[in-house]
Amino acid sequence: MKPVRKAVLPVAGLGTRVLPGAKTTPKEMLNIVDRPILSYIIAEGRAAGIEHFIFVTGRGKQAIEDYFDHHIEMEAQLAAKGKTDILEAVLADLPKPGEMSFVRQMSPQGLGHAVWCARDIVGDEPFAVMLPDMLMHAERAPLAQAIDAYNQVGGNVVVVEPAPEGETNKYGIVALDGREGRLNRMTGMVEKPPLGTEPSNLFISGRYILQPEIFNLLSDQAKGAGGEIQLTDAMVRLMALEPFHALEYEGTTYDCGDKIGLLRANVAYALQHPELGQAARAAITALL
Ligand code: G1P
């Protein structure tokens, strides 16, 4: 079985649900306590053994590339002033040479189209997709849990979790061949099913392990829900050729593409922060 070495991060989205905050700052760069969302996502990927991150970006997203590069002046100043702890924090997220690639999705045509834009950089090997909106907190990195599952069953693996009551129509929903334990064979998938037609309450929450055959299917994938080229629709076609498993990972998900989700993530990560946790608890309690 080929190892999962590369991860595709679709970051071209406008962040409509977190405007105007995301007007000039890409939504993936919004802060959670003391770091941008993407910093946590990259840490999760590295903890899962990812060697190469492929960002599918778009106009107005230059801040992402700049964040993952040296800021010579700032670094020189921090060094000159002896602020080594801050300097170390600034340098920690930087990639090794060649660890990151950036490709532009030139018009918003959906998640499936975004992933397809990475086809040449991924090549002929299994790869991960990480949706950076979805911040996942767990003892073992959620993507590592997905890769563990992939190493066990092969094929394609999709991380899922129960959708909030009455919200299955906002997500990709999976159908399972029985539900026993956390890893189950899938029999179907549907993107944003009308309420009452969902095959289960389990939604695709943002981490995937996919085989490269998905790219051929994406190349002629018809538009689906919302008039967009949906990754879910291409995965349904791939399921006729290769097995898919759904993994209910262990951990907590925060949808940072949403104002309240972003707030929840900030509060939760602040309370768990090794240095700021106590002060955060006092500050939050004082507000109640
Ligand atoms: C995308 C996927 C969907 C998934 C969701 C998770 O939808 O198409 O299957 O459940 O992300 O956030 P979007 O949020 O782009 O509409």
Side-chain angles (χ1 to χ4, degrees):
M1 207 186 307
K2 284 189 186 172
V4 179
R5 303 185 310 118
K6 299 179 182 177
V8 175
L9 284 72
V11 292
L14 287 179
T16 318
R17 291 181 292 148
V18 283
L19 283 173
K23 184 178 170 187
T24 50
T25 301
K27 64 175 171 167
E28 301 80 9
M29 298 304 292
L30 294 174
N31 223 45
I32 302 293
V33 190
D34 55 0
R35 300 193 275 146
I37 295 169
L38 270 179
S39 168
Y40 297 90
I41 301 289
I42 296 301
E44 179 193 336
R46 285 181 177 149
I50 295 299
E51 298 167 8
H52 191 154
F53 296 91
I54 303 159
F55 292 85
V56 182
T57 77
R59 278 182 297 285
K61 297 280 182 163
Q62 292 89 335
I64 296 175
E65 279 183 67
D66 290 343
Y67 182 80
F68 291 108
D69 194 1
H70 285 291
H71 189 316
I72 306 285
E73 223 171 51
M74 179 190 285
E75 291 165 18
Q77 280 215 25
L78 290 170
K81 291 186 175 161
K83 298 191 171 171
T84 43
D85 48 339
I86 303 180
L87 179 59
E88 273 170 29
V90 167
L91 295 176
D93 283 334
L94 290 190
K96 294 193 284 277
E99 191 190 358
M100 290 183 179
S101 297
F102 297 83
V103 60
R104 293 273 279 241
Q105 183 187 24
M106 294 158 70
S107 56
Q109 296 187 50
L111 178 60
H113 181 263
V115 170
W116 181 70
C117 288
R119 65 198 178 282
D120 276 349
I121 309 177
V122 172
D124 188 25
E125 55 183 278
F127 64 103
V129 175
M130 304 178 80
L131 302 187
D133 278 1
M134 300 305 243
L135 198 51
M136 295 183 172
H137 190 262
E139 218 155 275
R140 179 153 174 74
L143 187 64
Q145 296 183 37
I147 292 176
D148 292 344
Y150 165 74
N151 288 334
Q152 203 184 317
V153 294
N156 302 268
V157 174
V158 176
V159 172
V160 299
E161 61 190 271
E165 190 68 33
E167 293 191 17
T168 43
N169 58 340
K170 294 185 182 169
Y171 299 106
I173 305 293
V174 302
L176 299 181
D177 180 21
R179 197 165 165 188
E180 209 179 290
R182 292 184 168 273
L183 185 61
N184 289 289
R185 180 93 185 236
M186 286 163 59
T187 54
M189 238 177 301
V190 54
E191 185 65 25
K192 300 187 176 64
L195 283 177
T197 68
E198 65 275 9
S200 78
N201 70 335
L202 294 174
F203 81 99
I204 300 168
S205 60
R207 303 290 182 269
Y208 311 67
I209 308 295
L210 296 173
Q211 296 297 326
E213 290 74 39
I214 195 78
F215 291 123
N216 254 340
L217 299 169
L218 283 171
S219 67
D220 64 0
Q221 182 60 51
K223 288 178 184 170
E228 297 188 336
I229 297 172
Q230 296 289 353
L231 181 59
T232 305
D233 294 343
M235 292 196 296
V236 169
R237 290 165 67 206
L238 185 55
M239 202 187 295
L241 311 170
E242 297 174 1
F244 269 76
H245 283 80
L247 171 71
E248 288 182 70
Y249 89 108
E250 292 183 67
T252 312
T253 301
Y254 301 92
D255 181 356
C256 295
D258 170 85
K259 287 176 186 172
I260 294 297
L262 197 59
L263 178 66
R264 279 182 65 234
N266 260 301
V267 173
Y269 279 70
L271 292 173
Q272 291 152 11
H273 195 286
E275 284 116 46
L276 303 173
Q278 256 186 337
R281 185 170 299 277
I284 293 163
T285 312
L287 289 173
L288 299 174

